Amino acid sequence: MRLISMERIGAILVLSLTLLAAPTQAEETWPTPPLEELRKLLTGATLTGEIKAQPPYNFSEYLAEDGTSRGRMIECCKPDQLLTKGISYSGEWALSEEGLCLTYEGEEKKICWTLQVKDDRFRMVDKHFGPIGEGTIRAGNPDNL
């Protein structure tokens, strides 16, 4: 039984982007790797982090080798409950000149972010709103998503 529709998840993501404040001048910029480096880093990896929205939420999303994605999300800040009480979602992912692009199940519009990477950390940057989330890149599917 799905507690929340994919349309609502998509609406939350879009609304989240519109509610974000502009980044501060003091915010550190991380490097944006070339597409091929990102492809090697992200294919078969799990992104786990927090989206700075209203309300903020935690997520964990596996980016499979076949271009599909599976994840779970929960209203922040409950990362310890993400896997047991989080809402499941799925979709497709791809890399392009626009960055990491995701199209979620039941949605037609793709959402793209530039990814800045520093060691095993990532920052999601929207071209209009600046940094909107960050977290950790982990190899494989450690959360069994």
Side-chain angles (χ1 to χ4, degrees):
M1 180 170 113
R2 191 177 286 171
L3 297 175
I4 188 169
S5 71
M6 292 313 294
E7 291 84 14
R8 181 159 167 99
I9 291 172
I12 289 169
L13 289 172
V14 171
L15 180 60
S16 298
L17 291 176
T18 61
L19 295 175
L20 296 170
T24 65
Q25 292 295 330
E27 201 161 85
E28 177 187 2
T29 301
W30 294 359
T32 301
L35 280 179
E36 283 312 307
E37 188 177 325
L38 268 178
R39 191 173 320 284
K40 289 177 187 174
L41 188 63
L42 298 179
T43 302
T46 298
L47 303 180
T48 301
E50 180 182 330
I51 297 291
K52 298 170 182 155
Q54 295 301 322
Y57 59 91
N58 297 104
F59 71 94
S60 186
E61 186 161 351
Y62 174 63
L63 305 176
E65 292 87 353
D66 65 0
T68 60
S69 69
R70 299 183 301 276
R72 294 183 75 79
M73 63 184 279
I74 193 167
E75 188 174 318
C76 187
C77 291
K78 305 170 189 170
D80 56 321
Q81 297 177 19
L82 179 64
L83 298 179
T84 57
K85 296 183 180 178
I87 299 165
S88 294
Y89 61 89
S90 62
E92 297 178 351
W93 74 278
L95 290 171
S96 73
E97 293 301 322
E98 296 174 280
L100 172 62
C101 297
L102 298 151
T103 306
Y104 292 107
E105 183 180 87
E107 298 294 317
E108 292 181 21
K109 186 176 180 181
K110 66 181 177 180
I111 300 168
C112 298
W113 296 284
T114 299
L115 282 188
Q116 297 175 341
V117 178
K118 188 174 186 180
D119 301 319
D120 67 343
R121 305 277 305 155
F122 70 89
R123 183 180 290 156
M124 300 161 60
V125 180
D126 178 83
K127 64 183 172 185
H128 301 292
F129 302 104
I132 61 159
E134 61 182 67
T136 304
I137 301 169
R138 299 180 293 154
N141 187 4
D143 295 334
N144 199 27
L145 298 167

